[in-house]
Amino acid sequence: TTLLYTIKFEMSFAKAVSKVLQKNLMGTGNFGPKTMSHLKITDAIPGRVTFKMTVEQGDGNLYGTMHGGLGASLVDLCSTVAIFTKCNRWGISTDMQISYLKAAPVGQEIEIVGQCDKAGKTLAFSSCFIYNNKGDLLIKGQHTKFMGTPYVELPTEELD
């Protein structure tokens, strides 16, 4: 029974996270919906979420590669989602550090991995790694959030 519950939980966890993101970010008029609309969650467990997206023409800079501002937004958003999956709170950014290691050309699919490194009572620390389709590390970031925000429930009903 425990194994069956664990498998069901892991399979539906990504769907539950997607549902919360739809409710809390998409269509709110707040920051995040445009970036979030490009992303697809491919895997999620508490504290770690993997996304994929294709760099589109509107995401590019003058050199035909992903704009650094989008990279920063992805680090912010994806690491925040990873923190959320660990402690069910969004938090407020206090610090972000980003290193740009290699460019992603327009048209290329990228993978973004957000992970919660530590979540305490008042602060959460996360990391984000963005890879190209060859597995090369393009961007790495660290993100700290103040966690004095309200608790948000994950949906508990049956997910299709």
Side-chain angles (χ1 to χ4, degrees):
T1 306
T2 304
L3 179 59
L4 181 59
Y5 173 78
T6 302
I7 291 169
K8 184 177 179 184
F9 173 77
E10 288 177 359
M11 290 176 65
S12 65
F13 190 72
K15 290 181 183 178
V17 172
S18 292
K19 193 170 195 175
V20 169
L21 291 175
Q22 287 290 326
K23 181 179 177 187
N24 287 271
L25 291 179
M26 301 302 287
T28 62
N30 296 330
F31 176 79
K34 183 180 183 319
T35 303
M36 198 64 217
S37 68
H38 293 325
L39 295 171
K40 179 181 182 211
I41 295 175
T42 59
D43 189 37
I45 58 172
R48 184 179 169 96
V49 183
T50 303
F51 303 84
K52 285 204 176 190
M53 72 169 273
T54 300
V55 179
E56 298 177 0
Q57 187 66 39
D59 301 329
N61 57 26
L62 294 173
Y63 306 105
T65 60
M66 182 173 74
H67 192 281
L70 176 60
S73 293
L74 290 171
V75 168
D76 182 1
L77 186 60
C78 297
S79 61
T80 295
V81 173
I83 290 170
F84 174 80
T85 65
K86 186 84 168 189
C87 59
N88 293 66
R89 292 181 287 159
W90 294 113
I92 300 166
S93 297
T94 62
D95 182 61
M96 258 190 354
Q97 189 279 320
I98 302 167
S99 296
Y100 299 92
L101 307 172
K102 192 172 184 178
V106 169
Q108 186 173 72
E109 183 177 67
I110 58 174
E111 180 178 74
I112 307 102
V113 179
Q115 65 185 37
C116 179
D117 300 322
K118 181 180 185 329
K121 290 180 184 177
T122 57
L123 292 176
F125 303 89
S126 61
S127 301
C128 185
F129 305 94
I130 301 177
Y131 301 94
N132 65 15
N133 53 8
K134 296 177 185 174
D136 299 326
L137 182 60
L138 307 176
I139 298 172
K140 63 180 180 176
Q142 294 180 318
H143 192 187
T144 306
K145 297 197 93 151
F146 170 67
M147 299 309 294
T149 55
Y151 183 84
V152 177
E153 290 284 341
L154 277 172
T156 56
E157 69 270 9
E158 186 67 30
L159 297 168
D160 296 325

